[in-house]
């Protein structure tokens, strides 16, 4: 029988300070760090130790009996931080939901109540665990009473008993009080003996066994100085012992059985965790804590059953679809199981045999054929028209489903409802939008973990190895959950007024991205191989130059060794420290490069080796043999601003301003010899959106007159004619123009331009004097965001900013920068997405063979047959420039070439 006794006060302080520099907030702005950390520890310990009894003890307000012993006891301790006190009601709400007994005793400290409980339980329990890191509790340790010490960093928990105490301190639990009476405790203002430290105290107690034994043989102390200190501090030592001694006979008016711990009130726990937005903790709750959902899932065994399913689906106006895929030898994700549902309780499973070259089940040690499998041709003939029909398909991650089905020549066509995208639009700051998470948060439903469907001896855990019955259970749960999510998410989209973003931008974009991913982009493998060898030669030459500048050979890629060269051998000024030594990141090297050639060379070396490893060596390996092209994945539900990203490979980060980056773009070529690549790039779209939002007259006039806005800005700041602006002035103005959007301050500008801080301040002051409407906009946007708690883009995309109410100045300042930037960057993301939808539709409607193949920030790249170039140029420019009306002209630069670099 285990007993868990929590030192609530100490654990609350530890939980608060674990996040004090980076506190957590929910979307309503409520700080939740303390409750998160406390409940996280609570859950781990309850699950690990399964206590029969448990209690959480807090200090009672007011003075304690120890203040009668020493009026200065705990004197000087600062009051509880207001931010911490504000979170305690939520913590007590959580403890009540867990059905934990909470205790405090007037006149006594939590230590005394815990000590009393520990001694009472010691005789009847197998183990009593004191959840605390307070060293005072070491005096209570015994064979049955041990401490669980929670570390502030990382939250690790150490089991600490008499053996560990002896190994760490060299004393027994019975000696802890006397030891602390000698060395004192500065935290509680326990004086001890002045001049006697921890090491001396341990030695004295070790030699004399106890405080009384020490003073009984004081004359035997060989050091006269130490003897005088001990004699002078005798009264202080005895008083300190009284302060440190934990009382174990507090008159508690309760029966131990009243602390019996059963099951938490799981519905209340789950509701609270959802309200506080503790997604991670919701996932960690035991499966039995949530209402489980099981659905009946029929299995299609043959072609006749498939036809009956098709007939049922044709009669529905909407149905849910869930599929599972496996990657074949050519890298394609192909479906091997489809599940359909049109209510919350019943589903139907179709099991497919994977077509074409593939990893066989035999390779996984599985049977090569499973009963009830249907070949893709049979499924296609029965369900092809259903999937492409006018019924609404409700699916989680429509792009993935559509792409996988396309590899079986099945077209999944709109209308559809994507529960993953709905979650993303509703809460773009969420780190993930997994079906399991949405099931818990939206439906309060626990899906059985994937691994629970496998036999314990099954090490492969491949869904294809499941028997049809087990697979049907797995698929049925998921597809009926997708069906059930739809109405709740639809209502939320309407209530939050983000339905336009979902219906007009994100949902139509699914088809666009699917077709782009499927089309892929052709690369010149031979060119990249030659370029890789050239980069290798250049990198080797740079390395030799670095060694010469350092006067020694060392590992350039090792931060530790590079730091030794820069800061010890060359004596350059170091910056911040990391776990492995002084930082040598790019910011540090950029600063050092102003005063020494070696860090400049290291930056060049890093850039070159990264380009080589990331692109010239990696890209040829990603060419799919079947298509001869690279097929990147466009991630639609990741960035909180709405921007797309790409992965496998990431093509968003190929540098454009360096010659080496431009040379890599030369490797991207049209699919056919008689085709060209077309690059269509928004010109300064974010600055134009800033002009529209701020309605600054001077900024709008600059764009309407068609001049170079950076030159015009420089002229206004320098109070000179545009033709007199020097290149360095234009460069500075460009940095300021874009820096304002991202909330750059004077210090950041000074670093960017390598100028003095006062000069940077002057630049920013003159900028706002030139464009007063921009300053008004930024100030009004911050105030509006602070009032309503969120910001929106021009098309209605919403981003909640809880940190605007943070008590932490740095976090609040960062949120204010986002409040200014997010409407601009998010509107730019909406522009390019809307343009992609429009361009894709026009190309299809006009039966053109040109295809969009890439999207990188504000740029679209198309593969265009030569005879269509003129028509597509006009089409693309028109659709991009008219994606959304602004009060300033929208300009799109269009280029055409035999490769991406030539077209850009």
């Amino acid at each position: 029988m285990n007993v868990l006794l929590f030192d609530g006060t100490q654990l609350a302080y530890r939980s608060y300070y674990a996040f004090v520099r980076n506190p957590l907030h929910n979307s309503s702005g409520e700080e939740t760090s303390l409750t998160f950390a406390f409940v996280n520890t609570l859950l781990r310990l309850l699950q690990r130790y399964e206590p029969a009894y448990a209690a959480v003890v807090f200090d009672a307000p007011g003075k304690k009996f120890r203040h009668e012993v020493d009026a200065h006891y705990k004197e000087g301790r600062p009051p509880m931080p207001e931010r911490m006190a504000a979170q305690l009601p939520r913590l007590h709400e959580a403890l009540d939901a867990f059905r934990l007994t909470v205790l405090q005793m007037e006149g006594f400290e939590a230590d005394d109540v815990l000590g009393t409980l520990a001694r009472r339980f010691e005789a009847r329990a197998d183990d009593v665990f004191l959840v605390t890191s307070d060293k005072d509790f070491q005096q209570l340790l015994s064979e049955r009473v041990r401490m669980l010490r929670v570390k502030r960093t990382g939250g690790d928990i150490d089991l600490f008993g008499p053996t560990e105490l002896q190994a760490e301190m060299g004393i027994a639990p019975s000696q802890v009080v006397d030891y602390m009476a000698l060395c004192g405790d500065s935290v509680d203002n326990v004086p001890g003996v002045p001049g006697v430290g921890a090491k001396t105290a341990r030695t004295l107690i070790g030699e004399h066994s106890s405080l009384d034994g020490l003073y009984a043989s004081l004359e035997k102390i060989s050091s006269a100085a130490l003897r005088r200190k001990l004699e002078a501090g005798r009264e202080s030592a005895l008083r300190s012992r009284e302060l440190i001694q934990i009382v174990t006979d507090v008159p508690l008016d309760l029966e131990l059985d009243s602390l019996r711990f059963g099951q938490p009130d799981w519905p209340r726990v789950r509701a609270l965790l959802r309200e506080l937005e503790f997604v991670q903790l919701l996932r960690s709750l035991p499966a039995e804590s949530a209402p489980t959902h099981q659905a009946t899932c029929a299995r299609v065994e043959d072609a006749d059953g498939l036809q009956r399913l098709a007939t049922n689906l044709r009669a529905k106006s909407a149905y849910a679809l869930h599929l599972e895929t496996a990657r074949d030898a050519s890298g394609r994700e192909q479906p091997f199981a489809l599940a359909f549902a049109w209510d919350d309780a019943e589903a139907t499973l179709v099991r497919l045999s994977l077509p074409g070259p593939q990893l066989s089940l035999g390779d996984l040690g599985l049977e090569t054929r499973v009963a009830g499998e249907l070949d893709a041709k049979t499924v296609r003939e029965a369900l092809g028209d259903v999937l492409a029909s006018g019924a609404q398909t409700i699916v989680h991650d429509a792009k993935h489903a559509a792409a996988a089905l396309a590899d079986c020549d099945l077209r999944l066509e709109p209308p559809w409802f994507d529960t993953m995208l709905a979650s993303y639009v509703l809460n773009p700051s969420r780190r993930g939008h997994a079906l399991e998470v949405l099931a818990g948060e939206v439906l309060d439903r626990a899906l059985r973990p994937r691994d629970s469907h496998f036999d314990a001896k099954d090490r492969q855990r491949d869904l294809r190895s499941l028997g049809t019955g087990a697979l049907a259970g797995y698929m049925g749960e998921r597809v009926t959950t997708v069906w059930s999510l739809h109405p709740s998410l639809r209502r939320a989209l309407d209530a939050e007024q983000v339905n336009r973003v979902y219906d007009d931008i994100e949902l139509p974009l699914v088809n666009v991205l699917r077709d782009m991913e499927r089309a892929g982009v052709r690369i010149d493998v031979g060119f990249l191989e030659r370029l890789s060898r050239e980069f290798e030669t250049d990198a080797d030459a740079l390395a030799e130059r670095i060694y010469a500048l350092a006067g020694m050979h060392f590992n350039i890629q090792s931060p530790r060794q590079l730091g030794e060269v820069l800061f010890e051998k060359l004596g350059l000024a170091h910056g911040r420290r990391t776990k492995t030594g002084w930082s040598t990141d790019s910011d540090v090297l950029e600063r050092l490069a102003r005063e020494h050639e070696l860090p400049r060379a290291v930056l060049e070396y890093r850039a070159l080796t990264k380009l080589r490893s990331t692109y010239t060596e990696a890209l040829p390996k990603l060419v799919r043999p079947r298509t001869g092209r690279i097929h990147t994945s466009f991630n639609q539900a990741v960035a909180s601003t709405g921007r797309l990203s790409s992965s496998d490979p990431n093509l968003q980060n190929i540098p454009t301003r360096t010659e080496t980056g431009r040379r890599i773009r030369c490797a991207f070529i049209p699919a056919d010899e008689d085709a060209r690549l077309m690059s269509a790039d928004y010109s300064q779209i974010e600055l134009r959106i800033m002009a529209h939002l701020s309605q600054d007259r001077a900024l709008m006039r600059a764009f309407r007159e068609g001049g170079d806005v950076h030159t015009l800005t420089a002229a206004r700041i320098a109070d000179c004619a545009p033709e007199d602006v020097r290149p360095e002035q234009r460069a500075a103005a460009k940095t300021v123009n874009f820096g304002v959007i991202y909330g750059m301050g004077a210090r950041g500008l000074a670093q960017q331009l390598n100028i003095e801080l006062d000069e940077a301040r002057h630049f920013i002051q003159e900028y706002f004097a030139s464009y007063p409407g921009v300053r008004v906009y930024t100030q009004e946007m911050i105030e509006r965001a602070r009032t309503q708690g969120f910001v929106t883009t021009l098309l209605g995309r919403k981003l909640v900013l809880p940190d605007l109410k943070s008590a932490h100045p740095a976090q609040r300042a960062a949120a204010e920068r986002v409040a200014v930037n997010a409407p601009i960057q998010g509107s730019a993301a909406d522009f390019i997405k809307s343009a992609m939808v429009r361009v894709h539709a026009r190309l299809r409607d006009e039966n053109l063979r040109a295809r969009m193949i890439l999207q990188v920030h504000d740029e679209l790249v198309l593969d265009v047959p030569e005879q269509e170039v003129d028509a597509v140029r006009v089409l693309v420019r028109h659709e991009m420039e008219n994606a959304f009306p602004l009060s300033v002209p929208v300009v799109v630069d269009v280029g055409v070439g035999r490769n991406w670099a030539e077209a850009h």
Side-chain angles (χ1 to χ4, degrees), residues 32 121 125 196 209 348 374 387 687 744 773 842 857:
T32 58
F121 274 115
V196 174
S209 298
T348 302
L374 299 166
L387 294 170
L687 291 179
M744 182 186 293
R842 282 283 305 278
H857 306 310

Side-chain angles (χ1 to χ4, degrees), residues 383-437:
L383 298 180
D385 66 310
V386 175
L387 294 170
S389 72
Q392 184 182 46
T393 306
I394 302 163
V395 62
H396 192 80
D397 194 352
K399 178 166 70 69
H400 174 260
L405 288 169
D407 279 332
C408 292
D409 295 325
L410 283 164
R411 295 282 299 183
L412 180 63
E413 296 292 349
W416 45 38
F417 185 91
D418 189 330
T419 53
M420 182 189 75
L421 283 182
S423 171
Y424 170 64
V425 172
L426 286 165
N427 189 357
S429 297
R430 188 200 303 276
R431 292 184 177 179
H433 305 273
L435 182 61
E436 290 81 0
V437 175

Side-chain angles (χ1 to χ4, degrees), residues 56 106 132 202 258 362 372 402 453 472 663 773 811 831 853 881 886:
V56 183
E106 185 177 348
T132 181
R202 282 198 300 270
S258 67
H453 294 267
R663 294 187 68 190
Q811 282 196 315
F831 260 76
I853 57 173
E881 290 181 350
L886 293 183

Side-chain angles (χ1 to χ4, degrees), residues 216-442:
S217 56
L218 197 60
E219 70 282 354
K220 296 180 181 179
I221 302 294
S222 58
S223 169
L226 178 58
R227 197 164 53 249
R228 286 194 296 272
K229 290 177 184 177
L230 290 169
E231 184 60 52
R234 183 193 295 260
E235 184 179 343
S236 177
L238 296 176
R239 186 172 68 254
S240 295
R241 181 167 64 177
E242 193 172 353
L243 294 173
I244 291 163
Q245 184 76 53
I246 290 177
V247 174
T248 58
D249 57 356
V250 173
L252 295 175
D253 186 18
L254 58 82
E255 295 295 327
L256 293 184
D257 281 344
S258 67
L259 305 185
R260 186 174 289 278
F261 179 72
Q263 282 292 316
D265 185 344
W266 288 121
R268 282 187 62 198
V269 170
R270 298 185 67 85
L272 179 62
L273 298 191
R274 282 198 306 276
E275 183 182 352
L276 296 176
E277 299 171 10
F278 294 161
V279 176
Q280 178 183 335
L281 296 187
L282 277 166
R283 291 181 185 176
S284 70
L285 294 181
E288 65 269 18
S289 71
T292 56
H293 173 67
Q294 295 185 8
T296 302
C297 189
R299 304 186 294 276
V300 172
E301 302 282 358
D302 50 33
D304 290 341
L306 202 59
Q307 288 297 336
R308 287 192 295 273
L309 171 63
T311 299
N312 282 333
L313 290 172
R314 289 188 189 100
K316 306 300 178 185
S317 60
Y319 62 87
L321 167 67
H322 179 76
L323 54 83
E324 289 292 336
T325 63
R327 190 179 296 275
D328 68 15
S330 68
R332 294 179 300 172
E333 291 281 349
Q334 296 201 45
F336 63 85
L338 307 177
F340 299 87
W342 44 87
D343 64 36
D344 189 48
E346 295 185 359
T348 302
L349 170 68
V350 178
R351 192 161 192 162
L352 291 83
S353 56
L354 293 178
Q358 63 189 50
L359 294 174
S360 72
L361 295 178
D363 294 335
L364 297 169
L366 312 175
E367 293 293 330
T368 56
R369 185 74 178 175
V370 179
E373 276 190 353
L374 299 166
D375 62 81
K377 181 175 181 293
T378 303
V379 174
R380 186 163 56 248
E381 290 173 350
L383 298 180
D385 66 310
V386 175
L387 294 170
S389 72
Q392 184 182 46
T393 306
I394 302 163
V395 62
H396 192 80
D397 194 352
K399 178 166 70 69
H400 174 260
L405 288 169
D407 279 332
C408 292
D409 295 325
L410 283 164
R411 295 282 299 183
L412 180 63
E413 296 292 349
W416 45 38
F417 185 91
D418 189 330
T419 53
M420 182 189 75
L421 283 182
S423 171
Y424 170 64
V425 172
L426 286 165
N427 189 357
S429 297
R430 188 200 303 276
R431 292 184 177 179
H433 305 273
L435 182 61
E436 290 81 0
V437 175
L438 295 184
E441 290 191 10
V442 179

Side-chain angles (χ1 to χ4, degrees), residues 24 40 47 82 98 114 154 167 183 204 260 290 388-389 396 489 569 655 702 712 735 890 892:
L24 305 176
N40 184 37
Q47 291 172 5
E82 291 183 8
F98 274 94
L114 287 163
C183 63
L204 291 171
R260 186 174 289 278
S389 72
H396 192 80
L489 293 175
K569 192 170 190 301
L712 294 172
T735 302
V890 175
V892 175

Side-chain angles (χ1 to χ4, degrees), residues 411-486:
R411 295 282 299 183
L412 180 63
E413 296 292 349
W416 45 38
F417 185 91
D418 189 330
T419 53
M420 182 189 75
L421 283 182
S423 171
Y424 170 64
V425 172
L426 286 165
N427 189 357
S429 297
R430 188 200 303 276
R431 292 184 177 179
H433 305 273
L435 182 61
E436 290 81 0
V437 175
L438 295 184
E441 290 191 10
V442 179
L443 304 175
D444 194 21
R445 172 183 298 180
L447 297 182
R448 284 182 292 167
R450 184 179 185 276
D451 285 355
S452 69
H453 294 267
F454 294 91
D455 186 274
K457 298 178 181 179
D458 187 347
R459 295 183 179 181
Q460 296 289 347
R461 302 295 169 97
D462 188 293
L463 287 172
R464 290 175 293 170
S465 71
L466 288 177
T468 301
L471 182 61
Y474 173 86
M475 297 289 286
E477 284 185 17
R478 277 152 178 77
V479 73
T480 52
T481 295
V482 171
W483 170 267
S484 301
L485 283 170
H486 168 239

